[in-house]
Amino acid sequence: MTEPALGVRLKELRAAAGLTQAELAARVSVSRKTINTVENGVFIPSTLLALKLARALGVRVEDLFYLD
Amino acid sequence: MLVREASPERRRRVLIMAVALLLVVGGGVITSLAHAADETPRLVEIARGLAFVFLALVVGLRATTGFTLLKRDPAMNDELTRANRASAARAGFWAMMIGAVAALVASMYTTLTLAEAAPLLLVVGAAGAAVRFVILEARGE
């Protein structure tokens, strides 16, 4: 049985909120590079960062990330 | 808050510095091997060795920790960068282990003193960490 992968909807929800990567990064106090790597699935954020991202976008964490 | 990020030029400088350290120390080790093992090292050779060790430690420190003498934007030391530094530290550790095995094998065929092997091992470890850090940081671009 294969391990489930992490699905990410960050890019779509960020675009829906009308934010650039840099703007979202500023809101959660991380670098733009971090937002980019989370959106591309290269980096799995910590629980704290996931909660910050959800709050910054006004959505639930489960809307941002899911098990694929 | 204005969010800054490391420029590609800065990452290239770190990589070039790491490679240059490797080449210079490698050349220094090869040169020193030409001397007899029981010769007393000259002051200039001691100074050169200590300088390379210092440079290697600085490069290794910058690649694996957030230590800095200058006040920087906290966003430049976020969890992604900390994770990259941890990975770089692991890479540096294994680079140094492989270097130690290579030095052990080399010592079976030629005289290799600690003064000759130690700077090379330190530079290999620091350069391995720096290269790994640069590669990981470049992924976000």
Side-chain angles (χ1 to χ4, degrees):
Chain A
M1 182 176 164
T2 57
E3 282 287 317
L6 181 68
V8 184
R9 296 195 192 94
L10 178 60
K11 188 173 184 177
E12 295 85 348
L13 292 172
R14 176 182 58 77
L19 296 173
T20 63
Q21 289 184 342
E23 289 167 344
L24 180 58
R27 289 192 180 193
V28 297
S29 302
V30 297
S31 64
R32 185 207 63 80
K33 186 170 64 233
T34 300
I35 300 298
N36 188 36
T37 53
V38 172
E39 286 184 355
N40 294 331
V42 172
F43 178 64
I44 298 176
S46 66
T47 305
L48 182 62
L49 179 56
L51 287 167
K52 284 183 179 178
L53 288 169
R55 176 182 288 185
L57 293 173
V59 299
R60 300 178 310 155
V61 174
E62 293 82 358
D63 296 329
L64 278 175
F65 305 101
Y66 59 94
L67 286 175
D68 196 2
Chain B
M1 180 177 73
L2 181 64
V3 176
R4 300 194 310 265
E5 54 194 325
S7 66
E9 290 78 16
R10 178 170 173 266
R11 289 195 298 273
R12 272 197 293 275
R13 279 198 297 272
V14 171
L15 180 59
I16 290 170
M17 189 189 334
V19 172
L21 273 175
L22 257 180
L23 292 174
V24 173
V25 172
V29 168
I30 291 171
T31 303
S32 66
L33 285 175
H35 298 291
D38 57 354
E39 272 186 10
T40 304
R42 297 180 299 157
L43 188 61
V44 65
E45 291 169 348
I46 295 173
R48 181 183 63 194
L50 289 175
F52 287 144
V53 167
F54 177 75
L55 280 174
L57 289 174
V58 168
V59 170
L61 195 67
R62 291 293 294 135
T64 58
T65 72
F67 175 78
T68 176
L69 295 174
L70 303 172
K71 186 173 176 172
R72 295 192 189 275
D73 186 350
M76 295 302 297
N77 191 37
D78 61 4
E79 61 183 63
L80 172 66
T81 301
R82 288 196 297 273
N84 289 345
R85 287 203 177 98
S87 180
R90 283 194 296 273
F93 167 76
W94 285 111
M96 192 178 286
M97 293 293 281
I98 292 170
V101 171
L104 181 63
V105 171
S107 69
M108 297 176 186
Y109 299 96
T110 185
T111 304
L112 190 63
T113 66
L114 181 60
E116 291 162 347
L120 186 60
L121 292 179
L122 287 170
V123 168
V124 165
V131 169
R132 176 66 176 163
F133 182 68
V134 167
I135 290 172
L136 291 174
E137 287 286 288
R139 285 189 312 178
E141 299 301 324

